[in-house]
Amino acid sequence: MRFRNLILTVAVAAALAGCTNETLDSVNLSSVKNKTEYQLSGKMVSKMRELGMQKTSPILLRIFKEEGTLEVWKANTANRFQLLKSYKICAWSGKLGPKVKEGDRQAPEGFYPLYPRQLNPNSSYYLAINTGYPNTYDKANGRTGTHLMIHGACSSSGCYSMTDEQIIEIFALARDAFKGGQESVQLQAFPFRMTAENMARHRDNPNIDFWKMLKVGYDQFEVTKRPPAVNVCERKYVFNQQSEGQFNATAQCPPMSTPPALQMAMASYDTDFRRDYEKALKKYQGMVWYEPTEAERKAVVADQRKGRELAYAPTGSSLDAGKLLKVSELEKKIAEQKEAEEAKQAALIQKEALEKAAREGKGLPVPQANPLERSVEQAAVQPEPASKSLWGLFSRNDPNASPVAPTAASPAPQAPPQPAANGQQEVPPAQDKPQVAAAPAANAQAQAAEQPAVDQAPIDQPKKRPFWKIWGN
């Protein structure tokens, strides 16, 4: 029994020790009074000591998009860099591949020097370090973009975004390195770890030639564990090249050579890489890697956002959201994505047109009249007769009156009016006024059907007379 209690006590102590260590390794932002002067945790300082590092020794940053990882490497007393800590990038936008132009939502890839002036303690995203994009290589190749950062807030539109707890620690590591005399911190931003297998898996990517160029610098750091010297000529990166001439980003490269010791070390490394690459090609024969979209990456980590503020928007790893497909499957998937994107753009154009019409005070578009002439049946329809005027009520010759169909028999002749005693014309009684007998509707329709088209023309009417002369001589 005593032995069992002893085991439980040890287990509880170990658990508490684990919690304590985890607490020491995290940052409690509520207790931070000055974020720019934040001091690294005791656990971090102890790890530096174990690795033979000074608190103010130089650092180097490496980013791997596909894994969503940011690494901090620090120089030891032998001036060789060792991995100090690896951070999970909270958010990065776009897909694998370099940033090319402003607004493309791509995060930079390449080699970027970070200077003390690029540390921003007043960032809207807690703290920030400007990557310096576009660098000399980017400018030589016409690439554009501004304000590409490593910052907090876990929200990205072309940047590498960390949590606030992560960025305060990275910021402090860079600040202490600058205090120790480091002139610039090298940032190496890669699409993925440039192993033989990864290069074979991404061999069909349109950016593969650009990545092969970055791989030279990647490989040299893997061998030497020291940041490579970076120059640009002929619009391309060159690494650790000795030359008596000047490097010009857009001009021809001067005569240059690789240091013999580095050349020998790289020869052995390259031999191993070629062997592993051929092996990987056989593994991926007939298969293509599908690179996921940002939305697909976010869907994988959707559960992480539950219960968090809207600004917290982790984008996840491409390795988790991507997949290997057959070539035919990839072609089908790309065609479906293209069709969906075209439909999205069409809807956006329609929305913008409606919003523009609303701003200009115009209504919704209405169909235009048919430019073709009306058919014969439509043209033959007579318009509705206009309403009669008061005078037209007493006139037989009202031009607005509808033509009267002829009757089967003429009305009986009326007797001539008798002269009055005073010699004036006597007005006949009202019942003696000439009456127009209307044919029954059925007879009129039958006669109209028997009449040829020419008989349907309006009957000539006598010249209109004033109503007081209707019964006059």
Side-chain angles (χ1 to χ4, degrees):
M1 189 67 163
R2 292 179 58 187
F3 180 76
R4 181 181 178 185
N5 290 338
L6 179 61
I7 295 297
L8 290 174
T9 302
V10 172
V12 171
L16 291 175
C19 293
T20 303
N21 290 338
E22 183 64 29
T23 302
L24 288 174
D25 195 36
S26 62
V27 180
N28 183 3
L29 295 180
S30 62
S31 64
V32 176
K33 296 180 180 179
N34 187 336
K35 60 185 178 182
T36 60
E37 295 299 325
Y38 166 78
Q39 297 301 308
L40 297 170
S41 68
K43 184 176 181 180
M44 177 73 78
V45 175
S46 296
K47 186 175 182 180
M48 291 180 191
R49 215 167 16 241
E50 292 173 2
L51 295 173
M53 303 171 181
Q54 299 292 328
K55 185 180 179 181
T56 57
S57 63
I59 67 169
L60 174 144
L61 304 181
R62 296 178 100 193
I63 287 176
F64 300 101
K65 277 186 179 180
E66 187 170 60
E67 296 177 358
T69 301
L70 184 150
E71 296 177 345
V72 177
W73 292 65
K74 197 168 179 66
N76 58 20
T77 52
N79 200 29
R80 290 176 67 87
F81 284 71
Q82 293 177 272
L83 178 62
L84 176 63
K85 189 167 182 178
S86 179
Y87 299 89
K88 193 71 175 177
I89 297 174
C90 193
W92 58 275
S93 59
K95 301 177 68 174
L96 299 190
K99 184 172 186 63
V100 176
K101 62 181 179 180
E102 185 82 54
D104 62 5
R105 288 185 55 80
Q106 286 292 105
E109 293 176 3
F111 290 75
Y112 296 86
L114 310 178
Y115 297 93
R117 63 177 180 274
Q118 291 168 232
L119 271 61
N120 182 7
N122 303 312
S123 172
S124 300
Y125 298 90
Y126 195 69
L127 290 170
I129 303 174
N130 194 316
T131 63
Y133 178 93
N135 62 10
T136 303
Y137 171 85
D138 299 321
K139 292 175 182 176
N141 287 275
R143 297 179 176 179
T144 59
T146 54
H147 309 301
L148 280 301
M149 309 280 180
I150 301 171
H151 60 66
C154 188
S155 178
S156 174
S157 293
C159 299
Y160 293 105
S161 184
M162 317 299 293
T163 64
D164 294 348
E165 291 83 359
Q166 291 171 331
I167 192 63
I168 195 174
E169 200 166 69
I170 298 169
F171 192 95
L173 287 164
R175 178 204 63 208
D176 290 349
F178 288 133
K179 284 182 178 180
Q182 186 174 8
E183 294 182 1
S184 66
V185 172
Q186 188 174 95
L187 167 64
Q188 303 175 0
F190 300 107
F192 43 78
R193 296 187 188 277
M194 295 190 156
T195 63
E197 184 158 324
N198 285 343
M199 292 298 288
R201 182 163 52 88
H202 289 285
R203 66 193 182 281
D204 296 313
N205 193 290
N207 297 296
I208 191 63
D209 289 336
F210 173 71
W211 293 340
K212 286 179 179 178
M213 179 176 57
L214 298 185
K215 184 180 177 298
V216 177
Y218 173 93
D219 291 347
Q220 291 183 8
F221 178 77
E222 287 292 303
V223 171
T224 66
K225 291 299 185 288
R226 293 178 180 175
V230 182
N231 285 295
V232 181
C233 58
E234 297 179 9
R235 295 184 174 85
K236 63 183 181 182
Y237 285 110
V238 292
F239 303 96
N240 288 323
Q241 293 299 295
Q242 297 175 334
S243 177
E244 295 181 357
Q246 296 294 321
F247 288 96
N248 185 302
T250 58
Q252 183 177 0
C253 293
M256 53 189 183
S257 61
T258 304
L262 177 61
Q263 193 171 9
M264 290 179 61
M266 293 309 302
S268 175
Y269 182 90
D270 290 340
T271 299
D272 293 340
F273 176 84
R274 284 193 296 271
R275 180 196 64 230
D276 294 339
Y277 185 78
E278 291 299 324
K279 184 178 179 180
L281 284 180
K282 294 178 181 178
K283 176 182 178 180
Y284 295 121
Q285 187 174 8
M287 305 296 289
V288 183
W289 176 256
Y290 169 70
E291 172 61 25
T293 63
E294 182 177 349
E296 289 170 329
R297 287 190 286 113
K298 284 185 175 182
V300 173
V301 296
D303 290 341
Q304 296 180 20
R305 298 197 295 272
K306 292 180 180 178
R308 304 291 293 267
E309 62 275 11
L310 292 177
Y312 183 75
T315 54
S317 166
S318 288
L319 285 174
D320 296 332
K323 63 182 72 174
L324 281 169
L325 298 172
K326 293 180 180 178
V327 175
S328 58
E329 293 174 336
L330 180 61
E331 290 175 348
K332 180 180 178 181
K333 193 171 186 68
I334 292 175
E336 291 173 350
Q337 288 180 341
K338 183 179 180 181
E339 184 178 349
E341 182 62 25
E342 289 175 350
K344 180 180 177 181
Q345 291 298 324
L348 181 61
I349 292 172
Q350 183 180 19
K351 180 182 177 182
E352 291 176 348
L354 292 175
E355 290 176 349
K356 181 180 179 182
R359 288 194 302 268
E360 296 176 354
K362 299 177 181 179
L364 296 179
V366 296
Q368 299 295 321
N370 191 337
L372 300 178
E373 294 183 1
R374 293 181 300 173
S375 62
V376 175
E377 289 79 9
Q378 292 173 324
V381 176
Q382 297 296 332
E384 291 289 337
S387 58
K388 294 182 180 181
S389 64
L390 177 61
W391 311 117
L393 294 175
F394 303 96
S395 175
R396 294 175 57 193
N397 303 322
D398 184 1
N400 293 328
S402 299
V404 179
T407 58
S410 300
Q414 301 291 330
Q418 299 296 325
N422 56 6
Q424 294 182 356
Q425 179 72 33
E426 183 178 351
V427 178
Q431 62 271 20
D432 293 334
K433 292 181 181 178
Q435 299 292 327
V436 178
N443 293 339
Q445 293 176 0
Q447 293 178 9
E450 294 175 357
Q451 293 287 341
V454 68
D455 291 340
Q456 294 180 6
I459 301 173
D460 292 338
Q461 301 292 337
K463 185 176 182 182
K464 185 176 179 181
R465 294 182 297 169
F467 76 91
W468 60 82
K469 292 188 178 181
I470 292 177
W471 298 284
N473 293 329

